[in-house]
Amino acid sequence: SAQIADLQQKLLDADNGDRAKQRWDSITTILEAKCALKYLLRELVSSKVQESKLQSSLEQSQASCSDMQKMLTEERNHTAEQEAEFQNQILMQEQQHQEKVNHSLWKSW
């Protein structure tokens, strides 16, 4: 029964495809041609509107991505600067400590 249902669905799908083709093939009057042309133009306009919306969305996404990349680069630079500053502070503290140790050793002699 599953195979029968599958075959019936395939027949329906094929029939619907054939019907659409037959509709276009069976246009015989100017009125039918006008109706078909109006339909095609509506579909074209709809597609163009959708394309425009998608293009706009893409451009916004690209701009947002560019902004995020710029922010990320700035944050990385800031982090690198802080890291360098902290390393410098550690070095200075180590030097001060060494000077104190040396000074204490000289005093004790």
Side-chain angles (χ1 to χ4, degrees):
S1 66
Q3 288 177 339
I4 291 172
D6 186 43
L7 289 173
Q8 286 174 339
Q9 185 61 44
K10 286 180 182 179
L11 284 172
L12 285 174
D13 292 343
D15 189 38
N16 286 338
D18 288 343
R19 264 193 231 148
K21 186 177 184 312
Q22 285 175 355
R23 275 190 186 154
W24 293 109
D25 290 342
S26 67
I27 293 176
T28 57
T29 66
I30 299 266
L31 182 59
E32 289 173 338
K34 280 184 175 180
C35 289
L37 188 57
K38 283 181 184 179
Y39 170 78
L40 289 174
L41 288 175
R42 277 195 310 266
E43 289 297 311
L44 176 65
V45 168
S46 176
S47 295
K48 289 290 186 179
V49 167
Q50 185 66 18
E51 177 192 16
S52 177
K53 287 178 182 178
L54 289 172
Q55 184 67 31
S56 176
S57 176
L58 174 63
E59 289 169 1
Q60 288 176 353
S61 295
Q62 287 174 333
S64 177
C65 181
S66 178
D67 291 344
M68 289 293 198
Q69 287 176 336
K70 183 178 178 183
M71 286 175 46
L72 179 61
T73 300
E74 290 172 356
E75 286 298 318
R76 285 181 177 163
N77 290 340
H78 181 68
T79 301
E81 289 172 3
Q82 284 183 329
E83 180 69 25
E85 184 180 323
F86 292 147
Q87 290 296 331
N88 191 29
Q89 287 177 359
I90 289 171
L91 182 62
M92 289 176 64
Q93 287 180 355
E94 287 175 350
Q95 288 174 347
Q96 289 173 356
H97 176 70
Q98 189 63 36
E99 288 174 4
K100 286 180 184 178
V101 167
N102 288 341
H103 183 68
S104 295
L105 285 175
W106 279 106
K107 274 187 152 184
S108 65
W109 280 94

